[in-house]
Amino acid sequence: MSRKKFNDLINKKIVILDGATGTKFIKYGMPHGVSPELWALENLDVVNKIQNAYIAAGSDIVYVPSFGGNRIKLEEFGLAGRLHEMNSSLAEAVKENIGGRALAFGNIAPTGQFVEPFGDLAFEDAVNIYKEQAEALIDGGVDGFVIETMLDIQETRAAVLAVRESCDLPLIVSMTFDENMHTLTGNDPLSALITLQALGIDAFGCNCSTGPEDMVKLIKSIKPYAKIPLLAKPNAGMPELIDGETVFAMGAEEFAAFAEPLASAGANIIGGCCGTTPAHIKALAAAAEKLKALMPQLKAVSAVSGPRGTCLLGRDQPFRVIGERINPTGKKKLQAELRAGKLAMVRQYAGEQLSGGAAVLDVNMGLSGIDEKAMMLKVVALLAQGTTLPLCIDSTDSEVIEAALRLYPGRALVNSISAEKNRIGKTLPVAAKYGAMFILLPLNDEGIPETAEARIEVAKEIFAAARNYGYEREDIILDALLMTVSSNQPAAKVSLDLIEWASREFKVNTVCGLSNISFGMPERKWINAGFLAMALGRGLNMAIANPSSEMLMSLIAAGDVFTGRDRKMHRYLDKFSGSEPASRTTKKENIDPAQRVFNCVLEGDDDGMAEVIAAALAAGIQAETLVDESLIPAINRIGDLYDGKSYFLPQLIMGADAMRKGFELLEPHLQDVDKEKQAEKAVIILATVEGDIHDIGKNIVALMLRNYGFEVVDLGKDVSAAKIVKAAREHKAQIVGLSALMTTTMIKMEEVVKLARENGPGDLKIMIGGAVVDQNYADQIGADAYAVDAMESVRLAKRFTQ
Amino acid sequence: MAAEINFINNIPLPVPERKIYRRLGHKRHLTKMSDGQVKKLEAAIAQGVSRCRLRAVWRRFEINKWTAERVEFGDGNVFASSRLAALLEKSKSLLLFAVTAGAEIVASASALAARGDGVGALAYDAAGSEMVDAAAAWVQQYLNQRFKRGNEILTKRRFSPGYGDLELKNQAVLFKLLDIEQLGVSLTEDFMMIPEKTVTAIAGIENIN
């Protein structure tokens, strides 16, 4: 069947799929632990019976029972050698039985392994494994393909590419999303739709895992972004425990009642999964007969996606910043790291740009002395797992771009395609194959045209070529080609005119590499900001820039208010509603220096402590005053905030760290008497008891006690009672703190207490802590106190040593 | 009857960020953090997450004999626990599995604590704990999907040695049957698992009718 005919069928009616098949086999006697594909082949009468019942019920398409017919699954049963024969025979048998009464779609499903970059199975291996199965099913004469019950976008991509590289038959894909609308590997339906429809599938949707109610919500959520038909193949509700038995309880009529909500939500193809029977499909088909499906309204979607997130682009969307920092040009430290094969800075830049507000991350690995393709693949693999932002693949080499697009588990943006022979001839077909969006660079082999008019001609030429590959205006982003204003002042106006034409007349997204404009100028930020403000007014909706610039991001937020991209100004208000009005903002340097020390502790800003202490001392404030009136009150305030639950443990520790840093800095300035006082530190022994290896809680208590001036002897974990008591004697300890996390090890605390009472220092106090102990247990074993957390242990230690 | 041991060498898990914050004591409507504090903590959590290497091993066994006090499975293995037996009452088979976040996250958390970086140590510890918990839930969900094709479903709850009346010493049974050492995990004489960010579990496999 051709893809066009398939599309015609969908245009005519709501297409009905079959219902559950695998579970039917079990009802017809398939034993556990056998290959369902082999059992089906040996029991074709059962297969025929089930499929005849579904066709009689109204199924337009039935699935060939080849679900686990890939090499990896068949190998589990020692059947890999029969892969071609089994798949093609099953397809032939189904085709022969149905005799044109319905369509037979070859069924492809998960291998059970995870594909790189998320798993061990190499992506090309996965493609080849699926290709092998697809080719066998094609030989068996299937009318089309279904890739179903997929848990992971990358494995799905491998299967889609395998089918697309093997034939031009109709291909529908359904993934399994839970009630929170995520696959097991965290893929969301919108990102999956954007990624897969760009790869050229003919319908997308969901099967298994949930009942029809959840699928209505899912279909509705992605319909506005679908340029292809959507499908839903729900279970007969969720499995329920009824009279001690687990069952799919939803009856046929109740199931069929969801035909209307599914169609209204936008489903064009419907059927049933686990727990459904021919009766369910019959009722569903009857209900669907009276319904009209909503056909996809879009020809193209301006969006890029990653495995766990989508970025929508366009005039009704916010201004988008493509983070520019993952690019070694001009960054010596990053260059050195990349040359050493390290990616820590790439990871750091990705995190910082996400926090800064980037919507897409540009990745450029062009650097002499490294293998650009290998490094690009390494970074793409890292970022596919390490960020939720979609990627922009930035290279002049079409081979690098192809390798990256093939591996990237999303719909990427290509930076860039110009009218240069090499780019338009090589990169464009590659971008089209993977359905990537691209940045259109209006230059050609003769260079950058000087006038806006000449650039417009080049842009039109590139777009015409792209149209031949199926590209629409929504799929491209025109680069305004910013030239540095220091050497070519009039060029800024040319770029602004080009932006205006592209956004108002040509109606495409527009972008610029913002920092290009200010090379060679002093105070570049003003030039960048000035140009950006003017370009926003002309319709610019994206920039390649550094999102860590607060001024830039604030200007963009304001710009979105004026351009109407921020409807009702919600985002602007969210961003700034907590800020003080500018006129009332107190400048940092105007705050009292002692107050700045106090604030520094309260904020847990240990890095800033040196500066504020130096400023306070320079202002003539005595070190003793800073300790008594800034550091101590601040840490007490933090204790209060912690008790009131406005602060949580990390903030408590940050504050204590900052206070310790403050003490260290002030220590040389303190009078001798204070130093003597400091020298008389109470000694506390800490240990996790014998048999227990958990020590994070004890370590945090140690840090806090040290920050509060106690001398802590940390004996570590799995420490015997004898060792603890011996240490208490040797160090003349005033307190022993014991930790245990397990009920099986907390009993060792009692041993320590007994031994300490017999052989330890006479006035020794013992406090205990840990997830499994409490005050009652402390009382029971004769400990002096129970500390619920690190803060409480500090309070107890203070009390015991006063 | 016992099926073969299956390893999953990389669990592709979304970061359970909210749960990590909750484990650290963050209260959504009460806790207030400055931008600097958020940045510092987020960076530490991200670093911690990147040091987790989530791996799992699983194996299914036929249940040979069930009583209200004990369950016999595979080749003469026994779990003596009335609470586990109650969980497995409807099961024909049982699933054993183990998940670890690996040694690096634990060693890095200890190294940070030793350096006096309490926030880092705490963030790493919380990230490791939540990642391994989420990975255990993931394995259960993944296998549930897999078993559903055979008309089977996993019990919603899972059990572990040390829960209720199933003694901790049963960790040794899971270690032997799952060959958990291949995940780089060892068992102490007191049945503690090293690295500590490791969980073992038992669940029932029931038929769907």
Side-chain angles (χ1 to χ4, degrees):
Chain A
M1 180 188 223
S2 72
R3 294 171 72 185
K4 186 182 175 311
K5 276 193 178 166
F6 176 72
N7 217 33
D8 291 345
L9 174 68
I10 294 194
N11 274 310
K12 269 189 233 157
K13 60 172 294 205
I14 292 177
V15 171
I16 306 295
L17 302 170
D18 59 13
T21 299
T23 49
K24 282 264 165 207
F25 287 174
I26 291 165
K27 288 205 167 164
Y28 281 103
M30 183 178 80
H32 281 294
V34 302
S35 157
E37 291 69 36
L38 182 63
W39 189 88
L41 202 57
E42 290 168 349
N43 294 272
L44 286 172
D45 54 328
V46 174
V47 176
N48 293 345
K49 199 170 170 180
I50 293 167
Q51 297 200 324
N52 288 341
Y54 281 129
I55 293 167
S59 294
D60 300 300
I61 297 171
V62 293
Y63 292 179
V64 174
S66 53
F67 184 90
N70 61 69
R71 175 166 294 278
I72 292 176
K73 282 283 172 195
L74 290 179
E75 251 165 19
E76 291 174 15
F77 303 98
L79 293 168
R82 294 182 62 188
L83 184 145
H84 190 277
E85 170 226 331
M86 285 172 65
N87 279 284
S88 59
S89 301
L90 281 169
E92 277 169 19
V94 169
K95 282 285 285 181
E96 190 183 331
N97 171 55
I98 64 180
R101 290 175 294 149
L103 298 169
F105 273 29
N107 190 341
I108 288 178
T111 60
Q113 292 195 13
F114 289 95
V115 180
E116 69 167 330
F118 309 117
D120 295 335
L121 184 61
F123 185 72
E124 288 311 322
D125 288 348
V127 173
N128 290 332
I129 283 164
Y130 282 125
K131 215 174 256 188
E132 191 180 21
Q133 187 186 10
E135 282 164 0
L137 289 164
I138 293 164
D139 288 347
V142 292
D143 298 302
F145 280 92
V146 56
I147 297 169
E148 71 153 339
T149 324
M150 300 305 283
L151 306 172
D152 173 52
I153 189 67
Q154 188 68 327
E155 191 177 37
T156 311
R157 287 182 73 252
V160 168
L161 283 171
V163 173
R164 276 286 158 263
E165 288 173 359
S166 303
C167 68
D168 198 32
L169 291 171
L171 169 59
I172 63 178
V173 176
S174 62
M175 297 184 73
T176 293
F177 299 95
D178 62 20
E179 60 274 26
N180 298 316
M181 291 211 258
H182 281 90
T183 67
L184 206 52
T185 56
N187 310 134
D188 61 285
L190 179 57
S191 303
L193 169 74
I194 299 296
T195 301
L196 297 173
Q197 71 182 4
L199 274 185
I201 66 170
D202 296 293
F204 172 77
C206 43
N207 77 289
C208 207
S209 196
T210 63
E213 200 172 353
D214 285 320
M215 287 198 183
V216 170
K217 288 181 216 156
L218 189 148
I219 296 290
K220 199 172 182 179
S221 74
I222 60 174
K223 188 69 178 179
Y225 313 100
K227 59 175 192 171
I228 54 174
L230 298 180
L231 82 90
K233 206 169 190 271
N235 293 338
M238 299 295 278
E240 292 174 47
L241 197 65
I242 296 176
D243 298 332
E245 302 286 350
T246 305
V247 293
F248 286 102
M250 189 179 276
E253 291 309 317
E254 192 187 348
F255 184 77
F258 283 97
E260 195 282 323
L262 279 168
S264 297
N268 308 87
I269 306 171
I270 55 178
C273 203
C274 301
T276 58
T277 64
H280 288 81
I281 298 302
K282 189 175 180 184
L284 189 74
E289 209 173 17
K290 301 163 204 141
L291 300 170
K292 195 165 165 47
L294 294 173
M295 295 313 294
Q297 299 297 309
L298 303 173
K299 280 170 84 178
V301 185
S302 244
V304 284
S305 58
R308 291 172 192 162
T310 291
C311 174
L312 298 167
L313 308 168
R315 63 183 57 210
D316 54 344
Q317 297 296 326
F319 187 98
R320 303 295 194 189
V321 171
I322 301 173
E324 67 180 6
R325 298 188 68 201
I326 304 175
N327 183 337
T329 310
K331 298 187 185 83
K332 283 190 180 157
K333 215 170 157 190
L334 179 60
Q335 289 175 4
E337 275 229 348
L338 294 176
R339 286 204 173 98
K342 292 181 185 166
L343 297 180
M345 283 185 78
V346 170
R347 196 196 296 271
Q348 180 195 330
Y349 284 165
E352 286 172 0
Q353 292 184 104
L354 172 67
S355 303
V360 177
L361 295 179
D362 188 84
V363 180
N364 182 314
M365 289 293 122
L367 175 65
S368 63
I370 64 164
D371 179 342
E372 184 186 358
K373 186 160 97 177
M375 189 54 80
M376 177 65 88
L377 289 177
K378 218 169 149 181
V379 172
V380 165
L382 172 84
L383 295 178
Q385 300 178 82
T387 181
T388 52
L389 297 181
L391 300 187
C392 173
I393 309 297
D394 184 356
S395 174
T396 53
D397 185 337
S398 61
E399 274 188 37
V400 173
I401 289 179
E402 172 151 34
L405 292 182
R406 192 162 178 88
L407 181 68
Y408 183 56
R411 184 193 194 197
L413 175 62
V414 168
N415 187 7
S416 55
I417 296 173
S418 67
E420 292 162 295
K421 272 202 185 83
N422 191 39
R423 308 286 273 276
I424 203 163
K426 289 186 179 171
T427 309
L428 180 59
V430 163
K433 176 177 177 183
Y434 297 97
M437 287 187 71
F438 72 86
I439 294 177
L440 185 159
L441 216 54
L443 58 85
N444 54 24
D445 288 313
E446 289 160 28
I448 299 174
E450 279 194 14
T451 64
E453 291 72 23
R455 290 183 192 181
I456 287 169
E457 287 314 307
V458 178
K460 284 178 175 173
E461 181 194 334
I462 298 168
F463 182 60
R467 294 276 290 182
N468 293 332
Y469 288 96
Y471 274 103
E472 300 286 344
R473 283 184 163 78
E474 289 84 350
D475 298 317
I476 63 170
I477 301 165
L478 185 134
D479 190 311
L481 277 175
L482 292 201
M483 313 295 284
T484 173
V485 74
S486 61
S487 61
N488 186 351
Q489 200 173 350
K493 185 181 176 303
V494 171
S495 291
L496 289 169
D497 289 346
L498 187 64
I499 289 167
E500 178 141 16
W501 168 79
S503 55
R504 311 272 188 253
E505 288 182 43
F506 200 38
K507 296 192 188 306
V508 296
N509 297 293
T510 48
V511 70
C512 65
L514 189 62
S515 53
N516 291 348
I517 193 86
S518 58
F519 279 127
M521 295 291 281
E523 291 296 321
R524 291 178 63 183
K525 62 187 177 191
W526 302 118
I527 298 289
N528 293 344
F531 182 84
L532 179 63
M534 293 181 75
L536 285 171
R538 300 285 195 106
L540 185 77
N541 71 323
M542 299 178 79
I544 301 173
N546 183 353
S548 61
S549 162
E550 184 56 34
M551 184 176 70
L552 200 71
M553 299 310 280
S554 300
L555 198 152
I556 287 168
D560 277 358
V561 169
F562 301 129
T563 55
R565 295 178 188 280
D566 185 2
R567 279 190 219 108
K568 298 189 178 170
M569 298 176 279
H570 285 157
R571 286 195 309 278
Y572 185 87
L573 293 172
D574 278 352
K575 187 174 169 74
F576 294 112
S577 58
S579 307
E580 288 284 307
S583 59
R584 284 170 46 204
T585 303
T586 317
K587 281 191 174 174
K588 212 164 67 174
E589 55 269 30
N590 291 341
I591 302 175
D592 166 41
Q595 181 67 34
R596 285 180 67 194
V597 174
F598 178 94
N599 290 351
C600 213
V601 176
L602 204 64
E603 290 266 311
D605 182 10
D606 54 347
D607 293 337
M609 191 54 88
E611 185 194 329
V612 294
I613 291 272
L617 291 172
I621 302 172
Q622 294 293 309
E624 292 76 9
T625 311
L626 287 173
V627 169
D628 293 340
E629 294 178 17
S630 295
L631 295 183
I632 302 287
I635 202 67
N636 287 339
R637 173 74 185 133
I638 287 175
D640 293 344
L641 290 167
Y642 179 73
D643 287 341
K645 306 219 175 342
S646 295
Y647 265 29
F648 68 138
L649 190 54
Q651 291 167 293
L652 188 68
I653 295 172
M654 285 180 206
D657 282 348
M659 185 184 73
R660 187 195 56 206
K661 184 83 176 280
F663 270 124
E664 282 169 12
L665 290 161
L666 289 173
E667 207 266 339
H669 304 276
L670 290 171
Q671 300 293 323
D672 288 347
V673 61
D674 291 288
K675 286 183 185 170
E676 278 167 26
K677 232 193 278 175
Q678 292 269 312
E680 294 167 12
K681 285 178 176 174
V683 177
I684 301 176
I685 305 286
L686 289 184
T688 299
V689 294
E690 189 171 9
D692 204 320
I693 55 158
H694 302 91
D695 65 351
I696 183 71
K698 182 261 303 165
N699 290 342
I700 296 302
V701 168
L703 283 171
M704 287 291 289
L705 288 169
R706 284 189 183 117
N707 282 342
Y708 275 82
F710 293 97
E711 187 179 332
V712 175
V713 179
D714 186 348
L715 302 179
K717 53 195 175 186
D718 193 10
V719 188
S720 70
K723 195 173 168 190
I724 295 168
V725 174
K726 187 171 171 234
R729 273 202 316 269
E730 282 175 5
H731 292 278
K732 297 191 176 69
Q734 285 167 270
I735 301 169
V736 164
L738 303 174
S739 166
L741 197 81
M742 310 280 290
T743 49
T744 50
T745 55
M746 68 187 216
I747 48 176
K748 296 284 182 183
M749 289 177 161
E750 191 170 6
E751 270 182 37
V752 181
V753 174
K754 273 187 188 160
L755 195 63
R757 298 301 180 224
E758 287 164 14
N759 298 329
D763 53 352
L764 185 71
K765 300 288 184 189
I766 300 176
M767 57 183 180
I768 65 168
V772 290
V773 299
D774 57 13
Q775 185 62 53
N776 285 339
Y777 188 68
D779 296 341
Q780 189 187 319
I781 64 171
D784 295 288
Y786 158 70
V788 69
D789 57 22
M791 194 64 220
E792 181 64 13
S793 70
V794 171
R795 288 197 195 98
L796 286 169
K798 280 182 175 174
R799 202 177 82 205
F800 290 149
T801 54
Q802 262 171 6
Chain B
M1 278 282 290
E4 63 181 28
I5 300 175
N6 301 275
F7 288 90
I8 303 173
N9 284 324
N10 182 19
I11 297 176
L13 189 73
V15 177
E17 202 173 331
R18 185 67 218 127
K19 285 187 174 173
I20 294 172
Y21 267 79
R22 247 194 330 250
R23 180 176 281 264
L24 290 168
H26 187 272
K27 304 264 186 284
R28 198 192 283 261
H29 300 295
L30 286 174
T31 310
K32 292 182 181 71
M33 297 177 78
S34 69
D35 289 348
Q37 289 170 335
V38 170
K39 213 169 166 183
K40 199 181 269 189
L41 188 58
E42 278 188 355
I45 289 172
Q47 289 286 328
V49 165
S50 73
R51 282 167 171 75
C52 294
R53 190 182 168 206
L54 299 170
R55 298 174 70 205
V57 57
W58 63 273
R59 192 178 188 187
R60 63 180 288 166
F61 296 85
E62 297 304 311
I63 293 176
N64 304 323
K65 191 176 173 193
W66 179 93
T67 70
E69 284 79 35
R70 50 192 270 134
V71 179
E72 293 178 20
F73 64 99
D75 296 327
N77 306 295
V78 177
F79 284 137
S81 158
S82 56
R83 288 186 54 190
L84 175 62
L87 177 73
L88 301 178
E89 190 177 358
K90 298 277 173 195
S91 302
K92 298 277 177 278
S93 310
L94 64 78
L95 169 74
L96 303 184
F97 69 94
V99 183
T100 183
E104 190 188 351
I105 180 70
V106 179
S108 305
S110 296
L112 288 179
R115 280 212 315 257
D117 181 353
V119 175
L122 206 58
Y124 278 33
D125 181 75
S129 295
E130 288 302 336
M131 288 292 277
V132 79
D133 270 4
W138 184 94
V139 167
Q140 212 172 342
Q141 207 183 340
Y142 166 66
L143 292 176
N144 218 8
Q145 287 285 349
R146 193 173 163 131
F147 294 152
K148 219 191 280 175
R149 298 300 301 185
N151 219 28
E152 294 172 327
I153 192 164
L154 282 175
T155 49
K156 281 201 176 114
R157 287 189 303 117
R158 59 176 193 257
F159 221 80
S160 290
Y163 284 10
D165 56 352
L166 183 65
E167 290 183 67
L168 191 61
K169 67 181 184 189
N170 285 293
Q171 290 289 28
V173 178
L174 275 96
F175 256 70
K176 188 184 87 187
L177 296 176
L178 290 173
D179 200 5
I180 295 177
E181 284 182 356
Q182 284 207 46
L183 292 183
V185 179
S186 59
L187 195 65
T188 68
E189 282 179 5
D190 299 304
F191 308 110
M192 299 271 177
M193 291 182 288
I194 297 175
E196 63 184 75
K197 304 300 178 197
T198 303
V199 297
T200 55
I202 306 159
I205 303 171
E206 299 174 353
N207 285 342
I208 301 175
N209 293 306

